Amino acid sequence: MSSSVTSLRPCRLVPGEVDLATLRAIYHGELELSLDPAAFAAINAAQQTVEAILATGEVVYGINTGFGKLAQTRIPAARLAELQRNLVLSHSVGTGALLEDNVTRLIMACKVISLARGHSGIRPAVVEALLSLYNAGVMPCIPAKGSVGASGDLAPLAHLSLMLIGEGQVRVKGTLISAVEGLALAGLRPIELGPKEGLALLNGTQVSTSLALVGLFEAERSFAAGLVAGALTLEAIKGSVKPFDDRIHQARGQAGQIAVARAVSSLLDGSDIVVSHADCGRVQDPYSIRCVPQVMGACLDNLNYAARTLQIEANAASDNPLVFTDSGEVISGGNFHAEPVAFAADIIALAIAEIGAISERRLALLLDTGLSGLPPFLINEGGVNSGFMIAQVTAAALASENKSLAHPASVDSLPTSANQEDHVSMATFAARRLGDMCFNTSVVVGIEAMAAAQGIDFNRPLASSAALEQQLTAIRERVAFLASDRLLAPDIEAMRLWVAEFSLPPQVQALLPSYASTR
């Protein structure tokens, strides 16, 4: 989503120690960034190591050689600047729609963090230029498609780097202007890249990592809304609260399951609806109600695992080769290979799909009068009115679409660069597809929450808990009770936005990895 924040909070980045909450605030455009002054010592030391190697005439990959399959080709000193410029130009081969500003903002910040670890051998001026462009709101035009997630996100990061050398276009407040004009807005001129600087900019996992982080942040919203919607559905059907007894979950020992059961119990605390059917003899609800702790708890565990991986990666030195100033060595490796990011994105995809899948099943339960005890399709005068009948079809379509999108991308690999890059991660697509999946699940969960609110209204004057009544009020501010059939598409969109914007109950917010410390 785009940020509406006008006053930015200052934030000093400490490379290697940037937490998820900071990364989320960067994504939402809430921060003005600076770099911890202590980082410049490491940046300078690495750049001086590169200069010392050049002075000896030693041949080192990425400094005075070609790239990839052309690594055996030595480049004369007089052509090193040309080498770096040509690298950026030749690798700018992305295609598709441009990444949105909130994503490119995160990519730029992650690139700064990585370069500032002091293993890249670039000049401080390059890092400072990226920070100046970020703070001036000058966003690189990065096509979404064209990276296989190994040797770094080469094509998209090349498009980011174009603006530094004054090539191509940038975007400022949604308007496309030339890179030279964008640089001027930040008080800069085009940079002539020094030895290794182009390669350091292009190598790295910052695009796939940023896309995966966006998927994580949006998945957290879907997870939180899914828990609230599930609690509302339980109230609407007057379901049993016994499956949320802490003793059940302690007996199994799964951390996410225990945490989710406690959160739902807390959401229901003080509900008159729960009290009203305490002795109804209801023993077992369908799994979509009874097993919320087990399913959503497993989703939470997956989100926590992915969050840890992505926080590490956002702080990583992931270009190649890396400079080690203590020994004066420049060592080639493979930190640009985004397999950890691909796995994390695939795991997030599984969680997103399951959050939507169980939500759609609860929605179907609400509409089935034989299971819910509510009017068929949650509408009076059924027959003349169809109620939520076809809204559930929309939810089913999107939940099914997510099943296909959840297929792991990390198991695919297609060799590139004349088989030099013979195994790749596909992390960038793995992460990029999370956006579509989160959109789908937010619609499904939003429809469920709207239907559950309708069901609870049929149970009035009984009241739910204070926490859930607050959510019901927020829902009713967006959508009215469905007294008879009306155009539901605007209501569905309003509820999708509720998922993106609703106020997180504290007992749910406490579960989310980017809202809690993970270091």
Side-chain angles (χ1 to χ4, degrees), residues 66-424:
F67 308 107
K69 197 72 171 179
L70 302 175
Q72 304 306 317
T73 303
R74 181 170 182 173
I75 310 299
R79 305 194 70 181
L80 292 183
E82 181 186 357
L83 171 71
Q84 298 299 318
R85 179 180 177 83
N86 284 350
L87 177 69
V88 174
L89 293 172
S90 67
H91 285 56
S92 297
V93 293
T95 189
L98 299 181
L99 294 177
E100 295 181 356
D101 284 355
N102 49 9
V103 180
T104 57
R105 201 163 39 230
L106 193 52
I107 294 168
M108 291 174 73
C110 287
K111 195 67 194 177
V112 166
I113 295 164
S114 179
L115 295 174
R117 288 293 302 270
H119 293 294
S120 296
I122 62 165
R123 291 168 294 168
V126 177
V127 177
E128 291 172 329
L130 284 171
L131 281 170
S132 295
L133 289 161
Y134 174 101
N135 288 326
V138 179
M139 298 290 111
C141 292
I142 303 177
K145 299 183 180 184
S147 175
V148 296
S151 238
D153 289 310
L154 292 173
L157 287 174
H159 283 277
L160 178 151
S161 306
L162 279 175
M163 67 178 180
L164 293 174
I165 64 173
E167 293 287 344
Q169 292 184 307
V170 295
R171 193 163 51 196
V172 179
K173 295 181 180 178
T175 300
L176 292 175
I177 60 175
S178 73
V180 171
E181 291 174 291
L183 287 167
L185 286 176
L188 300 170
R189 293 182 177 180
I191 294 174
E192 181 178 84
L193 296 173
K196 196 184 177 298
E197 289 181 341
L199 187 61
L201 286 164
L202 268 60
N203 270 180
T205 62
Q206 287 75 43
V207 174
S208 52
T209 299
S210 295
L211 286 166
L213 283 167
V214 171
L216 172 69
F217 301 148
E218 300 301 338
E220 287 180 318
R221 300 291 306 186
S222 293
F223 174 89
L227 273 192
V228 170
L232 291 172
T233 296
L234 185 146
E235 289 282 75
I237 68 167
K238 297 182 178 178
S240 174
V241 296
K242 291 181 180 178
F244 299 88
D245 190 305
D246 189 61
R247 291 169 293 182
I248 295 173
H249 309 291
Q250 291 291 343
R252 192 179 202 183
Q254 294 287 356
Q257 177 178 327
I258 293 168
V260 165
R262 288 176 177 173
V264 173
S265 294
S266 179
L267 286 173
L268 295 168
D269 187 39
S271 167
D272 291 338
I273 296 176
V274 169
V275 174
S276 73
H277 62 93
D279 301 316
C280 67
R282 189 166 187 146
V283 178
Q284 289 192 336
D285 293 309
Y287 289 179
S288 60
I289 296 292
R290 195 190 340 158
C291 297
V292 163
Q294 289 79 4
V295 175
M296 295 292 277
C299 291
L300 178 61
D301 287 336
N302 277 353
L303 293 179
N304 276 314
Y305 168 82
R308 288 191 295 271
T309 298
L310 295 176
Q311 182 171 331
I312 291 169
E313 195 67 17
N315 283 280
S318 58
D319 62 290
N320 182 64
L322 293 180
V323 179
F324 295 91
T325 57
D326 54 349
S327 63
E329 293 178 277
V330 177
I331 305 175
S332 287
N335 278 4
F336 49 62
H337 198 295
E339 194 82 344
V341 180
F343 279 2
D346 283 345
I347 286 169
I348 294 170
L350 293 175
I352 296 168
E354 282 298 274
I355 293 165
I358 195 170
S359 175
E360 186 279 329
R361 288 292 80 204
R362 290 193 300 263
L363 172 61
L365 168 61
L366 282 165
L367 307 189
D368 186 338
T369 187
L371 292 171
S372 69
L374 297 165
F377 303 107
L378 297 174
I379 194 75
N380 290 318
E381 297 185 322
V384 173
N385 294 303
S386 294
F388 287 81
M389 179 191 296
I390 308 304
Q392 187 260 331
V393 174
T394 296
L398 297 181
S400 182
E401 184 177 311
N402 272 358
K403 293 176 185 178
S404 294
L405 288 171
H407 179 81
S410 58
V411 298
D412 188 25
S413 178
L414 198 64
T416 59
S417 192
N419 278 313
Q420 177 77 2
E421 298 154 8
D422 59 349
H423 181 277
V424 298

